[in-house]
Amino acid sequence: MALIVQKYGGTSVGSVDRIKNVARRIAKWHRAGHQVVVVVSAMSGETNRLIGLAKEIQASPDPRELDVVASTGEQVTIGLVAMAVQEEGLKAKSYTGPQVHVLTDSAFTKARILEIDEKKIRADLAAGYVVVVAGFQGADEHGNITTLGRGGSDTSAVAMAAALKADECLIYTDVDGVYTTDPRIVPEARRLTTVTFEEMLEMASLGSKVLQIRSVEFAGKYKVRLRVLSSLTGADLPLAEEAQSGTLITFEEDTPMEKAVISGIAFSRDEAKITLTRVPDRPGIAYQILGAIADANIDVDMIVQNISVDGTTDFSFTVHRNEYGKAMQVLQSTVQPVIQARQIIGDPMICKVSVVGIGMRSHVGIASLMFRTLSEEGINIQMITTSEIKISVVVEDKYMELAVRALHKAFGLEQAAA
Ligand code: ASP
Ligand code: MG
């Protein structure tokens, strides 16, 4: 007997029929002798609708009240799912986040979970109940309702699994796992049977948005065994088969030796590059430039500074394309008068393509294969950054798909052993 946390996202509970399907799946696991805690999202579209209502009243809604409104979608789903499970002939009980003491900080609309009191849930499980808990929500120490940020029920599920020391946390979603790259760009992309947490974090932050990134960090920190799998396969799939499906997110020490060197090609569109040429090379320059950008609440991604020639250097960085205009304006108005760069050059039509894999730690030649592949396609590399398990390049936007396809092929990702 295992203790399993299952999370169903908005699409999976998007209609009454789908909820009945979810209930059949839950019943299958329960009947096989497992204890099941279910974490659910609001029905698809519901959170958007609720936020929309709030915005019809206040252009930028009061965050505390917005959370009161936005958290209600999940309360509907837990009740419906519990009823559907009861209709399967099982005992089921639903709880909102605050009812099971999902304690968070007070950062409304993006709160962090601090603690969960799992005692009540354990008692219910021991009494044979399926327990259904609302994702995305909690309460702070004063009892104010909070939400965890969009997509936050992934994090609720992982936190619940950590608190209960669950054997596995299954995230049911509308894709059947994590892929070597986006199959819409490379039809030969392959589902990974395993991927490590570190790789998953790199891939998620690079735009492969299968899971809320915070949930992956949480799972890594608390060593939660996490699996992403499809909720669209038949609920009657034999349990043994379902339990092995999807993608298991592993810890490096559990990773098979023969794992491919590279796990995937990630990319993010919608980036913009800014270069300040001939800035004086003296202490405090990077701070003056990026401090002003940070004060304007703009996230910076890649940063490259050249060596200095004649006491000046070139300084480049990337931001999200939506923030490009704002960043340029901050530079012109507050930074330029102080540092007097020769020029501020911006390019909002770039993208980032990355090769990700923990095998990079122990294999040489990854960077050279990457650069050779891009050169053979005639794609110019504008910036390069690396981490221990990732190499990223900035290229012109129009080459993104070509670069992803060529790299996917060059690294043999269609056929590599997973
Ligand atoms: N219902 C929330 C949202 O739409 C949380 C979630 O789905 O994970 O963002
Ligand atoms: Mg989601």
Side-chain angles (χ1 to χ4, degrees), residues 7 9-10 41-43 46-48 70 74 135-136 149-154:
K7 182 257 170 178
S41 298
M43 294 170 79
E46 185 59 12
T47 309
N48 286 342
E74 273 72 9
F136 183 53
R150 298 308 303 270
S153 45
D154 292 339

Side-chain angles (χ1 to χ4, degrees), residues 169-190:
C169 180
L170 305 176
I171 308 276
Y172 289 88
T173 177
D174 50 4
V175 295
D176 65 351
V178 180
Y179 276 73
T180 49
T181 195
D182 187 338
R184 283 168 299 188
I185 292 183
V186 184
E188 300 78 27
R190 192 173 40 84

Side-chain angles (χ1 to χ4, degrees), residues 271-277 279 285-286 288-294 298-306 314-320 323-324 326-332 335 339 344-348 350 382-383 385 394:
E271 306 251 336
K273 180 181 79 166
I274 297 174
T275 301
L276 294 92
T277 65
V279 298
I285 283 292
Q288 265 163 358
I289 298 169
L290 297 180
I293 295 290
I298 299 171
D299 271 334
V300 170
D301 181 17
M302 289 176 152
I303 304 168
V304 173
Q305 186 189 316
N306 215 329
D314 296 342
F315 190 96
S316 300
F317 60 95
T318 62
V319 297
H320 193 275
E323 309 203 286
Y324 169 71
K326 189 163 137 202
M328 287 297 268
Q329 197 195 335
V330 168
L331 292 175
Q332 298 288 4
V335 177
I339 68 163
I344 301 179
I345 309 167
D347 182 355
I350 55 137
Q382 304 183 16
M383 283 168 92
T385 60
V394 163

